[in-house]
Amino acid sequence: MFLPRLRHICFLLLCCFSGLYLHAQQEITLRGRVTEFGTNDGMPYVNVYFKGTLSGTTTDFEGYYVLKSTFLTDSLTARYLGYRARSKKIRNTEKVQIVDFQLVKDSKMLEGVVIHPGINPALRIVQNAIDNKKKYDKESLNHIHYKSYTKTEADIDNMTKKIRRWPIFHPLVSMYDSMDVIAGDSKANLPVYFAEVVSDVYYQKDPRKKRENVKAIHMNFVGKKDGSAASQLTGSDFDNYNFYSDNVDILKKPFLSPLADNAMNFYRYYLIDSALTGTRYTYKINVMPRNIHDAAFTGFIWIADSSWVLKQVDLEIPKEANFDLVERVHIQQELIPTSAGPWMPSKTRILIDYVDLTENFVSMVQKIYQNSSEYVVDQPMTGEFFEKNTDFAEDALLKRNTYWDSLRPEPLSKLEAMNFQVIDTVRMIPIIKGGVNTLYFLFMGYVTVGPIDLGHYINAYSYNSYEGNRVRLGFRTNNKVSKSWIFRGYGAYGFQDKGWKYNLQLEKIISRFPWTKAGIEYRDDVERVGTAFDYSTGQTIGNANNALYNTSYAFGDLRQFVRKNEARAWYETEVTKGLTERITFQNVRTFPLFPFTFGNDPFNIFQQKNYSITELVFDTRLSMGDLFIQNGNERMKFGSSKKPVFDFNYTMGIKNLFGSDFEYHKLTFSVSQLVKWGILGSTSYSISAGKVFSAVPYTLLEIHRGNETPFYSSTAFNQMNYFEFVSDQFVELHVQHYFMGLVFNRLPLIKKWNLREVVTCNAVYGSLSSNNRDFNQNNLFSELNKKPYVEVGAGITNIFDILRFDFIYRATYNDSQYITQYASQNPGYGIKNWGIKVSLQFML
């Protein structure tokens, strides 16, 4: 009896073990997504593996992974250098499991890289990639066409529980709860901007041109207004992260690429891993700047063996880099080959985390994702095709949700799907609406009151020795009145001279693409000799003049004041992309308010003092790299061009027309540019030259602009007095080189302050013809005879992120003979060889 029972027991045990064995052999599928804590963005290239084994996989660009196996351990691990590894339990009883991870950044993990003595294999790999980059650089392609999908999001970060309890956020309590549930282990940020753009993008290399045909825009943001310029900042404006170039611009600031020609001098490279793809290896290389304060990247690049092509990057700009207001920048990019050989970005993701002003206040995070596909190369378009740089489909803003569902490379996350609803709720909060209007006022200078904009606030008050206290109120109509007609002007009153001044002008927008406008104006006002009223009202974003200098120039003891009655009409048009022409016809009557005469007879006590001119003015501007956006009825320049900007002016004075007293001709020409040298800084220069071919009052000649204010100006001569030098032919130079911390970043006691160095040189060489010298012999001014005026300076910028101090030395016209002569002609005004000027300047 015992043996049969034993046989049954053994059979049952065998069946149990066989079942367990068969169960262990069945395939289990694990899938999920690895995201970054805090941003909730997918993390590409993360290693996901069974703990204690070599069995695993890596995430794709969106952070997703799929892992199938018949051999399991009790947990799954996600690991990526620079982040804390995380493990999660898995269940052997379920065939399909969802396992998501969120990894927390830990910069100390990067300190664990160990380099052994000997030849560094990473240097050979990187040098081969640098030597071969011309084969794969997209800049070698003459024509490119591709489809682009761009997703841009801006969030308010650091929304602590204490901040969420602020009264202004009470309407968002329920939404916060929902967002936190969706965010899971991470945290939900407050979206304030979200946009999707689908477009076809075309590039041409020579001459360099670009066109974007925008098919669809899906946009919402807290400060959204009718006619907002934001809708014109389309997707491909963010697609130029080319690591084959020497420098990669982030927020208009250049950072040295790890594959730059001189990168070996500024980077360290470490071979971290290699993986067999097909028959070739792909090398993962850790790159680190030799000086953490330099404008350089840290992170990883992947280079393929034999071809030495860059396949993908995962790079950051560390917070120690001299990058104002930015805590962190993270760039990830995958590249794919084209039929012509060069590789193009397929997917690009960038995160910009701005600094927290205080630990107890919010900050901002900006995220951009771009997917580029269907590349077509070397199929040129006609020249006329590029005359329009951006073309919007008529229904670009009207696409339905089903359209977007079909075009997105990846569906929106649950948090992203809530963004439009959350933003609509936020923008309707009264205090938020008021804050947005205040920011518009501070940035644009005008406050909107129905159909009228009132401003600019910077001109509301001034004081000078002639008018005393002066108040001014300006206005302009907005697109609520008309989308093509603009009526603008101002009224001003001086309490000392008890005089009213005003300006009225009417403009007509004839065409928006290409931009074409005409206008008429009449103005009656006072101003200093050598200045001119800007009736074109063009605005510039990101490249503003020194506001402190411009404002203080209108204050104080204003010598050589004149009153002007100006009447003009003008027409301007963008002839082709980058080429703008303007023709102006004007009559100006001038009434000097200081001792002033002109003429060839020094003994004639009845010499004419007031005069009238009638001019025909031709202005040409060539700037191939300018980007313009239209905000309502205003056209604004956005940022600065990398290419030289050329300006040409010809003025013809017509005698006897409308009482004009003179016939003359003037020519001026100028070229300016900002040249970026990457880690070596950047140089801005401006060169101008001009000539007046006739004898005219010196107020119509070139009065080189001096600066007696305490504020530095890059377009003036900062140690030259007002009205000191006059020329009828001249060549003028203004140069500034910003080292961007190249020296200070290497000084142990100074580098933590993030100070930056700048050197300057301002020079002018000119002369005065004998005809103009005789015609203006009763007036006191100096001439630039035989030698140029030169001043040089050195400065410190980025003091408290915004202050700049310049120490300037006047190198010529500083001898005792000249100083004595000038003082005798201008009692109370002397020459200063040394000076210190301050200014407000913000550069990332």
Side-chain angles (χ1 to χ4, degrees), residues 669-672 685-689 731-735:
F669 172 80
S670 68
V671 56
S672 59
Y685 71 86
S686 173
I687 303 173
S688 58
V731 177
E732 190 170 300
L733 171 69
H734 299 277
V735 179

Coordinates of all heavy atoms in Angstrom, one line a residue, residues 669-672 685-689 731-735:
F669 N 26.4 106.2 -45.1 CA 26.4 104.8 -45.2 C 26.9 104.2 -43.9 O 27.8 104.7 -43.3 CB 27.3 104.3 -46.4 CG 27.5 102.8 -46.5 CD1 26.5 102.0 -47.1 CD2 28.6 102.2 -45.9 CE1 26.7 100.7 -47.1 CE2 28.8 100.9 -46.0 CZ 27.8 100.1 -46.6
S670 N 26.2 103.1 -43.5 CA 26.7 102.4 -42.3 C 26.5 100.9 -42.4 O 25.6 100.4 -43.2 CB 25.9 102.9 -41.1 OG 24.5 102.5 -41.1
V671 N 27.3 100.2 -41.6 CA 27.2 98.7 -41.5 C 27.4 98.4 -40.1 O 28.3 98.9 -39.4 CB 28.2 98.0 -42.4 CG1 29.6 98.4 -42.1 CG2 28.1 96.5 -42.3
S672 N 26.5 97.5 -39.6 CA 26.6 97.0 -38.2 C 26.4 95.5 -38.1 O 25.7 95.0 -38.9 CB 25.6 97.8 -37.3 OG 24.3 97.6 -37.7
Y685 N 29.9 95.7 -33.7 CA 30.6 96.9 -34.3 C 29.6 97.6 -35.2 O 28.6 97.1 -35.7 CB 31.8 96.4 -35.1 CG 31.4 95.7 -36.4 CD1 31.2 96.4 -37.6 CD2 31.4 94.3 -36.5 CE1 30.8 95.7 -38.8 CE2 31.0 93.6 -37.6 CZ 30.8 94.4 -38.8 OH 30.4 93.7 -40.0
S686 N 29.9 98.9 -35.3 CA 29.2 99.8 -36.2 C 30.2 100.7 -36.9 O 31.0 101.4 -36.2 CB 28.1 100.6 -35.5 OG 27.5 101.5 -36.3
I687 N 30.1 100.7 -38.2 CA 31.0 101.6 -39.0 C 30.1 102.5 -39.9 O 29.2 101.9 -40.6 CB 32.0 100.8 -39.9 CG1 32.8 99.9 -39.0 CG2 32.9 101.8 -40.7 CD1 33.7 98.9 -39.9
S688 N 30.3 103.8 -39.9 CA 29.5 104.7 -40.7 C 30.4 105.7 -41.3 O 31.5 106.1 -40.8 CB 28.4 105.3 -39.8 OG 28.9 106.1 -38.8
A689 N 29.9 106.2 -42.4 CA 30.7 107.3 -43.2 C 29.7 108.2 -43.8 O 28.6 107.7 -44.2 CB 31.6 106.6 -44.2
V731 N 34.3 109.4 -41.0 CA 34.2 108.0 -40.8 C 34.2 107.7 -39.3 O 35.0 108.2 -38.6 CB 35.4 107.2 -41.5 CG1 35.3 105.7 -41.2 CG2 35.5 107.5 -43.0
E732 N 33.2 106.9 -38.9 CA 33.0 106.7 -37.5 C 33.0 105.2 -37.2 O 32.5 104.4 -37.9 CB 31.6 107.3 -37.1 CG 31.3 107.4 -35.6 CD 30.1 108.3 -35.4 OE1 30.1 109.5 -35.8 OE2 29.1 107.7 -34.8
L733 N 33.5 104.8 -36.0 CA 33.6 103.4 -35.6 C 33.2 103.3 -34.1 O 33.7 104.1 -33.2 CB 35.1 102.9 -35.7 CG 35.4 101.6 -35.2 CD1 34.7 100.5 -36.0 CD2 36.9 101.3 -35.2
H734 N 32.4 102.3 -33.8 CA 32.0 101.9 -32.5 C 32.2 100.4 -32.4 O 31.6 99.7 -33.1 CB 30.6 102.3 -32.2 CG 30.3 103.8 -32.2 ND1 30.6 104.6 -31.2 CD2 29.8 104.5 -33.3 CE1 30.2 105.9 -31.6 NE2 29.8 105.8 -32.8
V735 N 33.0 100.0 -31.4 CA 33.3 98.5 -31.2 C 33.2 98.2 -29.8 O 33.7 98.9 -28.9 CB 34.7 98.1 -31.8 CG1 34.9 96.7 -31.5 CG2 34.8 98.5 -33.2

